[in-house]
Amino acid sequence: MGALADLFAGTAPGAGGIKILAPGAALLRGFVQASLPALLQEIEHVAKAAPFRRMVTPGGYAMSVAMTNCGEAGWITDLGGYRYGATDPQSGRPWPAMPPMFRALAAGAAKAAGFDGFEPDACLINRYEAGAKLSLHQDKDERDFSQPIVSVSLGLPAVFLFGGEERRQKPARLRLESGDVVVWGGPSRHRYHGIDPLAPGSDPLTGPYRYNLTLRKAL
Ligand code: MD3
Ligand code: FE
């Protein structure tokens, strides 16, 4: 196995352990710690072609989280609803290509969590500033729910809300830090989840922001 593959398979020095949060949900603390600067560079490269923007929900509210995408498909919301699309509605051009590093880390993390052969075709990139939040929701716009979602946190820490399969179930709280990766699959794939309003702060790498990558097989 090469150095990049070793790193993302969690076998590189400095890689943290694996913690099972729930059936199908695995936390890999610090899994991408060594790659954070390179990952941020890739995010900035994507954002040059497809800038972060606050999308509008079907109900007409601008989201507090700013978003962009890379890959064959990107997740969008507007007054017409939620969906995946091949083009950035703001430019009319295809979303920027997914950086090979994103694919490699997603496949390595999924494999470490027991999901072999994960091949993401979409990466939603969320950018939080102080006060930005994501209300409890389910991710249901992908075609194949047998495929996991791999999430990567960079920058300021956040409080993640991990609910049940029904909205009324009180969510557990988990602090996600820069470099953490979580794999969400199997029975956890349909659980409600969200992010508490971000506390203000300054991260040495990302300044006032938290970024989250979610690597998905959407199509
Ligand atoms: C659990 N993002 O983009 S990542 C999202 O930190 C989203 O920006 C959050 O929820 C963020 O949809 C949380 C963790 C996550 C992602 C997808 C999941 C948890 C999940 C899908 C099913 C269950
Ligand atoms: Fe989600």
Side-chain angles (χ1 to χ4, degrees):
M1 210 186 268
L4 187 73
D6 275 343
L7 181 65
F8 294 132
T11 53
I18 181 163
K19 186 180 178 200
I20 306 304
L21 301 175
L27 168 63
L28 294 88
R29 284 249 187 246
F31 193 67
V32 296
Q33 199 67 49
S35 306
L36 287 169
L39 290 171
L40 184 63
Q41 281 207 331
E42 296 287 13
I43 291 170
E44 286 169 350
H45 182 76
V46 167
K48 262 184 225 146
F52 284 98
R53 80 293 304 265
R54 289 175 61 190
M55 298 185 196
V56 174
T57 62
Y61 294 95
M63 297 184 74
S64 57
V65 179
M67 299 177 165
T68 187
N69 289 277
C70 60
E72 285 164 66
W75 185 85
I76 51 179
T77 174
D78 60 19
L79 293 175
Y82 309 120
R83 62 198 175 277
Y84 284 93
T87 56
D88 177 352
Q90 206 161 276
S91 67
R93 292 191 303 265
W95 294 106
M98 190 176 315
M101 182 182 284
F102 287 16
R103 279 184 217 285
L105 83 83
K111 185 171 169 126
F115 297 93
D116 249 322
F118 180 53
E119 292 186 12
D121 53 21
C123 179
L124 173 64
I125 310 176
N126 294 334
R127 188 187 71 190
Y128 297 76
E129 56 183 30
K133 67 179 174 71
L134 204 55
S135 303
L136 273 187
H137 68 279
Q138 293 173 300
D139 287 26
K140 293 187 301 188
D141 300 319
E142 302 75 27
R143 288 212 178 113
D144 181 359
F145 299 130
S146 76
Q147 294 300 308
I149 292 178
V150 174
S151 80
V152 182
S153 294
L154 296 91
L156 290 177
V159 175
F160 175 74
L161 307 174
F162 193 29
E165 287 190 39
E166 295 185 72
R167 190 185 288 278
R168 58 179 168 75
Q169 291 173 269
K170 182 188 157 85
R173 284 175 148 74
L174 173 74
R175 187 178 151 100
L176 288 179
E177 290 175 354
S178 199
D180 290 349
V181 173
V182 194
V183 180
W184 311 93
S188 288
R189 183 66 180 72
H190 282 117
R191 289 174 67 158
Y192 277 88
H193 57 278
I195 295 285
D196 263 352
L198 198 79
S202 182
D203 179 85
L205 189 67
T206 66
Y209 298 122
R210 169 180 188 258
Y211 296 95
N212 181 265
L213 312 176
T214 44
L215 292 129
R216 302 148 183 267
K217 180 152 177 51
L219 306 177

